[in-house]
Amino acid sequence: MDRAELGALVDSVGEPAYRTRQLMDAVYRQRVESVEGISTLPQELRETLAEKGVSIGLPRIEQRFVSQDGTVRYLIAMTDGQSVETVWMPEGDGGEAGDGSEAGEQAERFAESGSFGASGAKALSAAEPTAALKRCATQKQRPSKKHNDRSMDPSQARGLNHKPQGQNQDRSTICISSQVGCAVDCQFCLTALLGVKRNLTAGEIVGQVCAVLKDQEVSPPEDRINLVFMGMGEPFLNYENFVKAARLLVEEVGIAERRMTVSTAGIVPRIHDFGGERVRPKLAISLNASNDELRTRLMPLNKKWNLEGLMAAARAYPLRTREWITFEYVLLGGVNDGPENAKEVAELLRGMRCKVNLIALNPGPGIEFTTPGAERVTEFQTILRAAGIPAFVRRPRGRDIYAACGQLKRTVEIATAPEP
Ligand code: SAH
């Protein structure tokens, strides 16, 4: 419920307007778990709320898996027994500007210096590979055998990453889900294997954030938290609830708009709509292929909304000052990661105010593709940069606990599954 809806309800039962503020604060700032937690609320109003079917609470954290890198994958249960996954990354995911990560900070600097687009070529081709990329070259490719060991007792994980110190202070990022499962069927993504079970309500979307904030003992705006709508589901196929949730997160929870990014697989009509929203997180588009043939193979939704329509929507998108569109590109060994693909991507994006986040495939059982080697990733990045397109490599977070991009599958089994 947003403030206006709750206000109308409070008014309709003859309660003074300040009760609305009291309730909103209790839910979104103090994150109480039940009406009983609001000690100043008169008994009578509690009963009225219950009669009206209004319940207050947080979704329940069913399980936590903690990665070697500090990432926590939460399995969060909704009241109907369905569950989704939400990921806490204490140091960001190396992807979104504003998430405080190296790649994010670099991108912000480029945006500030106005060097996005063609003029960015010089600045960027001279740049050293990012530290994130170097790490990518040395990262462990295979998840640990003992996934099971990472399923922790709640008390062990709580506050584990509480208020990171020093340079990491701004990096904490929460990755949230918008649907139970996903209908989009991208061939490299584990969530796709679930199909879509249902949409989350706006309250459930925000509830994930509140549950994680409470668990990690952090509170925006004092603690800078970044948010990415990049978990399970396609936010633009649950558009109304997503937009409502984004407003609640800004207005009630206190997370700044510029610290949020929504990623879409490319639901073209909604990209047009989104440009007109009053509250609007930054936009990321999952490109993942350099031509229609390849994209249709990897993302069947390309049949309906092809690259021409997608690029037209991206070009027409009304960017604010210091804003750019992010294109995500999952690199699949020998499939879409060649120099010719990089050149095609450069052509597609020519002249746009954008950046590219490259993600080397995160593997998973049932996924037939392979993760390209670090040299291949660097070559792809170098070609884009030479063409004037800022390109960054997203560091995988929590691969060992199946918390990385494309690995969310809502299951406990997956964390105990044999190594892929
Ligand atoms: N449905 C939205 C939100 C999910 S975001 C979207 O598609 O944009 C998840 C990001 O992870 C997307 O950019 C997606 O392309 C990427 N991804 C999916 N599966 C992946 C995998 N196995 N490895 C790496 N990235 C993956």
Side-chain angles (χ1 to χ4, degrees), residues 182 184 186 188-190 229-231 233-235 263-265 284-286 288 299 328 330 359-363 367 394 405-407:
C182 188
V184 179
C186 300
F188 43 80
C189 179
L190 275 184
F229 290 83
M230 297 188 185
E234 168 49 49
S263 176
T264 178
I285 297 176
S286 296
N288 297 337
M299 302 174 73
E328 293 146 296
V330 183
I359 320 169
L361 176 80
N362 293 312
I367 301 297
R394 188 185 281 176
C405 300
Q407 294 189 309

Side-chain angles (χ1 to χ4, degrees), residues 45-85:
L45 181 53
R46 291 174 196 215
E47 282 159 21
T48 318
L49 288 174
E51 277 162 26
K52 296 263 172 197
V54 177
S55 65
I56 285 174
L58 288 177
R60 191 169 50 84
I61 294 174
E62 210 164 60
Q63 213 158 354
R64 293 173 183 76
F65 300 94
V66 181
S67 165
Q68 284 160 353
D69 65 22
T71 300
V72 184
R73 177 166 70 94
Y74 290 93
L75 193 65
I76 296 190
M78 304 301 160
T79 45
D80 66 349
Q82 294 285 8
S83 54
V84 293
E85 299 196 342

Side-chain angles (χ1 to χ4, degrees), residues 113-235:
S113 66
S115 54
F116 270 114
S119 62
K122 221 167 105 226
L124 283 160
S125 55
E128 280 288 293
T130 62
L133 182 62
K134 286 181 193 153
R135 263 194 301 276
C136 173
T138 55
Q139 84 204 1
K140 267 175 62 189
Q141 294 283 338
R142 298 180 76 79
S144 154
K145 279 199 173 73
K146 295 187 178 170
H147 304 300
N148 223 357
D149 295 348
R150 309 276 155 64
S151 170
M152 293 184 82
D153 175 81
S155 60
Q156 284 176 274
R158 183 169 303 125
L160 196 74
N161 308 297
H162 179 47
K163 296 187 200 287
Q165 294 299 309
Q167 59 169 356
N168 295 335
Q169 211 144 26
D170 288 352
R171 292 188 178 180
S172 305
T173 300
I174 303 177
C175 175
I176 58 176
S177 296
S178 53
Q179 299 180 304
V180 183
C182 188
V184 179
D185 202 25
C186 300
Q187 301 298 297
F188 43 80
C189 179
L190 275 184
T191 309
L193 301 176
L194 293 171
V196 69
K197 304 274 194 284
R198 71 168 173 88
N199 283 336
L200 293 183
T201 65
E204 287 171 334
I205 296 173
V206 180
Q208 291 167 73
V209 179
C210 292
V212 172
L213 292 176
K214 184 163 192 163
D215 194 58
Q216 293 292 336
E217 298 168 24
V218 288
S219 221
E222 297 77 27
D223 295 303
R224 288 212 215 153
I225 303 293
N226 305 287
L227 207 72
V228 293
F229 290 83
M230 297 188 185
M232 295 168 78
E234 168 49 49

Side-chain angles (χ1 to χ4, degrees), residues 329-345:
Y329 196 99
V330 183
L331 291 161
L332 311 169
V335 176
N336 67 353
D337 65 338
E340 63 288 358
N341 301 110
K343 285 176 197 147
E344 282 180 335
V345 170

